[in-house]
Structure formats: structure tokens, C-alpha cells
Amino acid sequence: MSAYHQLLSATIDFLQQQKSRGQRHVQVDPAKLAALMRAPQATQPHTATTQQPSSVGTKADSFAALREMVQTCTQCPNLVSSRKNVVFGVGNESADLMFVGEAPGEDEDEHGEPFVGKAGQLLTKIIETMGLKREDVYIANILKCRPDTPGKRYGNRPPTGDEMATCSPWLHRQIEFIQPKVIVALGKTAVEGLLEQQVAITRFRGTWQTYRDIPLMPTFHPAYLLRNQSLTEKRKIWEDMLSVMGKLDLKISEKQQGFFLSK
Ligand code: URA
């Protein structure tokens, strides 16, 4: 990514952060705005002699550049000093289906991969019950670093509003690259981070929403299912997944249709 595009991305991220904090107007020096608009032409390489990568190559290169920027992010000093790994995301970068969770926990921080602990194993099971593999979808979180828990030896804490506002622009950029056909938001924090509104997840789940023109299905976080293993709660998440499968035109067998129904 060129210095110009890095600067532009940082500007966009900053403006999105301000917007999510409620700011609706910014003052821009007209001369600086004009310079910003002129810059791409000034820094454009001579296309006649420059090899043009394929569009797939361009996409992968840019995603790699984004990953690099996230891996070296230092915007939250407390999380930088406590993290073992930045948890960027995992899966198919051209996935039709993307799952978004809250934040890495201890296991994810240890391995640098989202959803690898107990809740993650349940998420993998859900994906496989849908007839997909973990590698078919993309999985990411609102926060890329594990929320710190000073003075505690174990346990996780939910992200603060400030941490979410600071980190979520990375997720927005990931989604822009991946362009999934459907997003599943896992739990209240993920829904609130993506839709930038407060929700009551018990009422909101199972109802189609829209994130920047992409259909979004809010559902319970798999950690909730670990605590509430009743057939009724399992069926609720499963019905949300059946809805997602329908939206993606995935084949649904009779057996899949009937999972977690009481006999
Ligand atoms: N919970 C989340 O929300 N994300 C993870 O990556 C793991 C657990």
C-alpha cells in the first residue's frame, strides 16, 4: 500500500471513529482537501511500463497489507502491552459468509486465531452442521486484541465502547475487502459494534438487519449456548442459521430442517 493510500485509510478510519462517537461535522482546510484529491495522480506509477497484477492478486496484496497494519497497531496502549498476539481473522478471503464475534479470549490471544477455545469449537460445529467447513467462511472479531484483565489471572471481559470505536474500523475494512453476501453477528457486542446501535439481543436475534447493504443476521454468541444447553435455545440459533442458509441458496436437507426440534 502506498504512503498516500495509508494516509487516506488512516483519515477514513479517523472520520469513522469520530462518526461513531456522535460527531457529524468536521472542518477541513480547502487547500488540504484539494491536495488530498490531487495526490493519486501525482503518485501514480507509469502504467505503460508497470506490470498490472490481476484483480485477485491486487485483492490479496491489499488484504495482506491490511493484515500487516492491524498486526502492528498500537492504538490501545493497555491492550498492546497485555496482548500475546493480534487476532486478525481467519478463513476464506472471498467467503460468501462471514461470522463476527466480540473479541479474542485467552485461547485466541495464545494462538492468534479467532474462535479456537470452547465457544470456537461450538462455532465450528455449527458451521459444519450447516454443511460448510471453517475454511469456507471468514471469521473475525470486533476487537483484534484480547481485552486486558489487570490483576486477574484468568477470565475475559467485554470490550469498552472506546475500544470498540477505536478497533472496529479495521473490521469495516476487512468486510470491504471480503464483500461477504451475508454476515452473522454473534452476540450483543458484535451486533452493536457493526450496527452502531444498542440492542436487546434476545429480541433482536433472528431478525434480518442490514450492514452497509449486506444482509446481517444477529444471533446468540456460542458462549451463551455453552451456558444454556436446552433444546429450545439450540433451536433458536439453528433457526437463524437455516435462515442464513436460505439467504445464501444453500441446500437444506430434511434432516437439517428438523435439528433440535423436540420429538
Ligand atoms: N469469543 C469471541 O467473541 N471471539 C473469539 O474469537 C473467541 C471467543
Side-chain angles (χ1 to χ4, degrees), residues 121-134 238 241-242 245 250-253 255-260:
Q121 286 157 24
L122 183 53
L123 176 63
T124 306
K125 246 186 177 172
I126 293 170
I127 293 167
E128 288 172 357
T129 311
M130 294 168 83
L132 300 169
K133 292 199 280 305
R134 207 173 140 98
W238 184 241
M241 295 308 106
L242 287 175
M245 290 168 74
L250 295 176
K251 196 170 165 293
I252 303 177
S253 68
K255 193 173 167 197
Q256 281 172 318
Q257 202 68 257
F259 279 143
F260 310 116

Side-chain angles (χ1 to χ4, degrees), residues 87 100-106 108 113-117 119-120 139-143 156 186 190 221-223:
V87 181
V100 175
E102 178 176 304
E106 195 174 356
E108 291 74 23
E113 183 174 329
F115 283 100
V116 291
I139 307 173
N141 282 309
I142 300 282
L143 241 65
N156 297 314
L186 299 162
H221 193 285

